[in-house]
Amino acid sequence: PFCDLTTQVSNAGLERYIHVGAVPRRKAMFIPNGVDSTLFRPDRQSRETLRKALGIEDSTFVWLAVGRFEAQKDYPTMISAFSKLHKLHPTAQLLIAGQGVLLADMQQFAKELNISDSIRFIGLRKDISALLNTADAFVLSSAWEGLPMVLLEAASVGLPIVATDVGGNREVVQSDVNGYLVPSRDPDALAKKMHQFMTLEPDKRAVMSREGRQLVETH
């Protein structure tokens, strides 16, 4: 009540706070997160350099996830989905950048699913722009969100995205335009859309890439 104005980074968050009575509409404003699109941009040289450093062949399809290993990010759903995807695309790889209290549990889970060779836990990274360029698509399995910076960064680099339909994710990911949205806590749905993207024609993937970049630059 002492505030003159509060801000929210997503329209979804704004409407929720108004709905639960946390703030009146007259004192609330939507100001989206921003991303430096000159730093987060498509960069072929960066892709080739880091892929070589990571020992990833040019023909390998790489999914990337970035985020701390906490309950919010729901990595069990992502790893379960990738296990299903692995049966259809055994050469695909999943890179996960981040640290957190659940990291060891997720490494063990990957071992139990016999996909440790296809999932690489690469720890805390400071080169996220280069890392995004290394990947072919981005995946987010969060159980709840605001407006994730990493989705904006991925879109700015031109990575198509498969993400859960929570929080403000749909303000970045437009289904069939620059990626796909799926229900949260649903490994089957996540795996299905990841497979669907991998089977798209190259020109359709390229369109999704351009649409994501355009969305960030426009909004």
Side-chain angles (χ1 to χ4, degrees), residues 6 34 51 82 87 124 126 131 143 152 177 185 187 209 219:
T6 63
R51 275 201 168 217
F82 188 75
K87 296 173 183 177
L124 184 65
K126 299 295 186 180
L131 196 59
L152 293 172
V177 177
R185 305 186 190 278
S209 175
H219 297 288

Side-chain angles (χ1 to χ4, degrees), residues 168-186:
N169 289 357
R170 63 170 44 242
E171 296 171 36
V172 182
V173 184
Q174 300 174 351
S175 277
D176 295 315
V177 177
N178 67 322
Y180 301 108
L181 290 170
V182 301
S184 61
R185 305 186 190 278
D186 190 338

Side-chain angles (χ1 to χ4, degrees), residues 129-219:
S129 177
L131 196 59
L132 288 165
N133 272 287
T134 301
D136 298 291
F138 192 87
V139 58
L140 183 76
S141 57
S142 298
W144 67 90
E145 281 290 357
L147 185 67
M149 281 297 302
V150 72
L151 286 191
L152 293 172
E153 292 165 352
S156 186
V157 167
L159 276 189
I161 300 165
V162 179
T164 46
D165 190 7
V166 298
N169 289 357
R170 63 170 44 242
E171 296 171 36
V172 182
V173 184
Q174 300 174 351
S175 277
D176 295 315
V177 177
N178 67 322
Y180 301 108
L181 290 170
V182 301
S184 61
R185 305 186 190 278
D186 190 338
D188 290 328
L190 187 59
K192 181 179 179 180
K193 286 302 182 181
M194 292 171 76
H195 168 66
Q196 182 175 335
F197 177 74
M198 291 183 70
T199 56
L200 290 177
E201 294 294 328
D203 58 342
K204 176 60 175 175
R205 293 186 196 175
V207 169
M208 283 190 165
S209 175
R210 290 194 297 270
E211 289 289 344
R213 173 80 177 171
Q214 182 64 45
L215 183 145
V216 171
E217 289 181 327
T218 301
H219 297 288

Side-chain angles (χ1 to χ4, degrees):
F2 297 110
C3 292
D4 296 305
L5 180 70
T6 63
T7 65
Q8 282 290 322
V9 298
S10 71
N11 278 307
L14 176 68
E15 293 303 323
R16 177 181 179 277
Y17 271 66
I18 292 171
H19 176 73
V20 301
V23 60
R25 189 175 295 277
R26 62 185 174 82
K27 287 188 174 185
M29 179 180 291
F30 165 55
I31 302 179
N33 284 326
V35 60
D36 184 350
S37 59
T38 61
L39 173 63
F40 291 93
R41 59 181 176 82
D43 186 340
R44 171 60 63 176
Q45 184 60 50
S46 179
R47 175 184 175 87
E48 293 175 355
T49 300
L50 191 50
R51 275 201 168 217
K52 184 177 181 180
L54 292 171
I56 300 172
E57 296 181 1
D58 293 340
S59 60
T60 300
F61 192 101
V62 174
W63 287 92
L64 175 65
V66 177
R68 63 195 184 280
F69 283 85
E70 307 287 352
Q72 175 190 357
K73 301 303 180 181
D74 193 13
Y75 280 113
T77 287
M78 182 186 297
I79 293 173
S80 295
F82 188 75
S83 176
K84 298 174 186 295
L85 185 72
H86 183 258
K87 296 173 183 177
L88 300 172
H89 304 278
T91 64
Q93 289 192 17
L94 171 62
L95 304 184
I96 307 179
Q99 296 178 332
V101 296
L102 299 178
L103 174 56
D105 290 343
M106 294 303 97
Q107 291 172 322
Q108 180 60 34
F109 187 36
K111 289 181 181 178
E112 293 170 359
L113 294 175
N114 297 315
I115 53 174
S116 292
D117 291 342
S118 298
I119 297 183
R120 299 176 64 174
F121 299 89
I122 58 177
L124 184 65
R125 304 286 299 207
K126 299 295 186 180
D127 56 345
I128 299 301
S129 177
L131 196 59
L132 288 165
N133 272 287
T134 301
D136 298 291
F138 192 87
V139 58
L140 183 76
S141 57
S142 298
W144 67 90
E145 281 290 357
L147 185 67
M149 281 297 302
V150 72
L151 286 191
L152 293 172
E153 292 165 352
S156 186
V157 167
L159 276 189
I161 300 165
V162 179
T164 46
D165 190 7
V166 298
N169 289 357
R170 63 170 44 242
E171 296 171 36
V172 182
V173 184
Q174 300 174 351
S175 277
D176 295 315
V177 177
N178 67 322
Y180 301 108
L181 290 170
V182 301
S184 61
R185 305 186 190 278
D186 190 338
D188 290 328
L190 187 59
K192 181 179 179 180
K193 286 302 182 181
M194 292 171 76
H195 168 66
Q196 182 175 335
F197 177 74
M198 291 183 70
T199 56
L200 290 177
E201 294 294 328
D203 58 342
K204 176 60 175 175
R205 293 186 196 175
V207 169
M208 283 190 165
S209 175
R210 290 194 297 270
E211 289 289 344
R213 173 80 177 171
Q214 182 64 45
L215 183 145
V216 171
E217 289 181 327
T218 301
H219 297 288

